[in-house]
């Protein structure tokens, strides 16, 4: 206990304090990208108004997504074949940790559902409260706009994740997350498909770092709804969760 307290005090003393401008420059957005050519340029240009550093991982797209992302101002890394969103996130996070001195990493979707203003508020909270990570939750607000089936699947997934990790979660499959560098360094994602979100939660829980959920808005556009969860995908989420090894 004494060593843990000393480590926490040392860590707090070493934490840099950023102004808002410094904070956004100390943050990188990681955007997994797969066949989003119709929207990705707008998503990147909008996010760049807030965050100047964005890396997209093109996960074997067979359209013009990579070129449009690069032309919009993002760094683009490409997988030669489609490996799944978990693999794309791991590639992006590893790249940021290796090639930048970023203090925070934000995972951000390419389909226009996330808001840069929410991400900024989460990064500011991570700094002000000295949190290892902040998880976005669509269910902490007053209007989540999710259909009944999606709501049922996601609430059930959150309850399972809470049971497995001991965390009190309301939304375990929200792609908007803020990870401090030490939290991001603890991730080693091997679940490439839908279960990667549960693996992220399990591995973050194992760090014992302080954390919080933050209310965020999901923009359910006509485009994003066209790519929404089917009943089969919902069942797959819950089934795959059972095979994610529990972290210790």
């Amino acid at each position: 206990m004494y060593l843990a307290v000393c480590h926490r005090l040392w860590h707090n003393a070493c934490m840099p304090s950023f102004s808002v401008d410094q904070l956004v420059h100390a943050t990188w957005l990681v955007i997994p990208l797969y066949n989003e050519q119709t929207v990705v340029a707008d998503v990147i240009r909008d996010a760049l108004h807030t965050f100047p550093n964005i890396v997209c991982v093109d996960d074997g797209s067979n359209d013009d997504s990579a070129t449009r992302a690069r032309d919009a101002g993002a760094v683009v890394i490409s997988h030669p074949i489609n490996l799944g969103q978990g693999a794309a996130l791991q590639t992006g996070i590893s790249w940021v940790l290796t090639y930048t001195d970023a203090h925070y990493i934000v995972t951000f979707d390419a389909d226009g559902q996330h808001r840069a203003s929410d991400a900024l508020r989460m990064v500011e909270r991570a700094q002000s409260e000295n949190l290892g990570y902040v998880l976005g939750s669509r269910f902490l607000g007053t209007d989540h706009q999710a259909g009944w089936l999606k709501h049922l699947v996601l609430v059930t997934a959150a309850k399972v994740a809470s049971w497995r990790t001991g965390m009190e979660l309301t939304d375990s499959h929200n792609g908007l997350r803020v990870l401090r560098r030490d939290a991001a360094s603890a991730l080693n994602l091997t679940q490439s498909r839908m279960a990667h979100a549960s693996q992220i939660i399990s591995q973050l829980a194992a760090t014992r770092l302080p954390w919080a959920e933050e209310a965020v808005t999901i923009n359910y556009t006509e485009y994003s709804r066209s790519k929404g969860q089917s009943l089969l995908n919902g069942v797959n989420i819950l089934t795959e969760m059972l095979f994610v090894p529990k972290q210790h």
Side-chain angles (χ1 to χ4, degrees), residues 50-121:
T50 305
F51 296 99
N53 303 313
I54 299 176
V55 58
C56 289
V57 180
D58 178 45
D59 189 34
S61 295
N62 52 32
D63 64 5
D64 203 31
S65 291
T67 298
R68 296 191 184 188
R70 189 177 293 108
D71 290 346
V75 175
V76 177
I77 304 166
S78 294
H79 288 167
I81 60 173
N82 179 247
L83 298 176
Q85 191 174 58
L89 283 173
Q90 186 63 60
T91 295
I93 290 169
S94 296
W95 185 90
V96 173
L97 292 174
T98 301
Y99 295 108
T100 82
D101 58 356
H103 197 70
Y104 293 103
I105 293 174
V106 177
T107 64
F108 200 88
D109 285 355
D111 60 5
Q113 290 199 86
H114 294 156
R115 297 183 178 183
S117 57
D118 285 341
L120 177 59
R121 191 176 66 256

Side-chain angles (χ1 to χ4, degrees), residues 117-139:
S117 57
D118 285 341
L120 177 59
R121 191 176 66 256
M122 292 165 68
V123 174
E124 290 177 321
R125 183 175 181 185
Q127 178 184 233
S128 65
E129 299 181 21
N130 193 20
L131 301 175
Y133 53 98
V134 180
L135 307 174
S137 173
R138 77 202 81 192
F139 300 123

Side-chain angles (χ1 to χ4, degrees), residues 27-233:
T27 301
W28 274 79
L29 266 58
V30 172
I31 303 180
L33 180 58
Y34 180 66
N35 291 345
E36 304 281 10
Q37 67 174 8
T38 60
V39 296
V40 67
D42 288 338
V43 169
I44 291 170
R45 282 193 289 262
D46 180 69
L48 283 171
H49 289 304
T50 305
F51 296 99
N53 303 313
I54 299 176
V55 58
C56 289
V57 180
D58 178 45
D59 189 34
S61 295
N62 52 32
D63 64 5
D64 203 31
S65 291
T67 298
R68 296 191 184 188
R70 189 177 293 108
D71 290 346
V75 175
V76 177
I77 304 166
S78 294
H79 288 167
I81 60 173
N82 179 247
L83 298 176
Q85 191 174 58
L89 283 173
Q90 186 63 60
T91 295
I93 290 169
S94 296
W95 185 90
V96 173
L97 292 174
T98 301
Y99 295 108
T100 82
D101 58 356
H103 197 70
Y104 293 103
I105 293 174
V106 177
T107 64
F108 200 88
D109 285 355
D111 60 5
Q113 290 199 86
H114 294 156
R115 297 183 178 183
S117 57
D118 285 341
L120 177 59
R121 191 176 66 256
M122 292 165 68
V123 174
E124 290 177 321
R125 183 175 181 185
Q127 178 184 233
S128 65
E129 299 181 21
N130 193 20
L131 301 175
Y133 53 98
V134 180
L135 307 174
S137 173
R138 77 202 81 192
F139 300 123
L140 288 178
T142 57
D143 183 17
H144 57 71
Q145 297 184 5
W148 71 269
L149 178 57
K150 181 185 286 285
H151 187 203
L152 175 63
V153 168
L154 294 174
V155 167
T156 302
K159 289 184 181 298
V160 173
S162 298
W163 168 71
R164 288 172 60 88
T165 63
M167 302 166 67
E168 292 294 329
L169 294 162
T170 63
D171 190 356
S172 60
H173 276 69
N174 195 310
L176 184 56
R177 314 171 187 88
V178 170
L179 310 171
R180 199 171 59 197
R181 190 178 187 92
D182 52 346
S185 298
L187 295 181
N188 180 25
L189 304 180
T190 58
Q191 296 286 335
S192 60
R193 303 295 171 181
M194 297 306 297
H196 78 273
S198 301
Q199 190 175 42
I200 289 174
I201 295 296
S202 295
Q203 293 185 359
L204 289 175
T207 67
R208 307 298 185 190
L209 290 169
W211 67 282
E213 277 190 316
E214 178 75 17
V216 301
T217 300
I218 301 296
N219 297 320
Y220 288 112
T221 63
E222 182 177 345
Y223 174 81
S224 68
R225 287 183 185 278
S226 72
K227 303 182 72 174
Q229 302 294 344
S230 66
L231 177 58
L232 178 59
N233 280 343

Side-chain angles (χ1 to χ4, degrees), residues 8-26:
R8 185 164 59 250
L9 291 174
W10 174 85
H11 188 270
N12 291 347
C14 293
M15 285 290 294
S17 180
F18 298 112
S19 67
V20 174
D21 183 63
Q22 291 171 327
L23 190 61
V24 297
H25 281 84

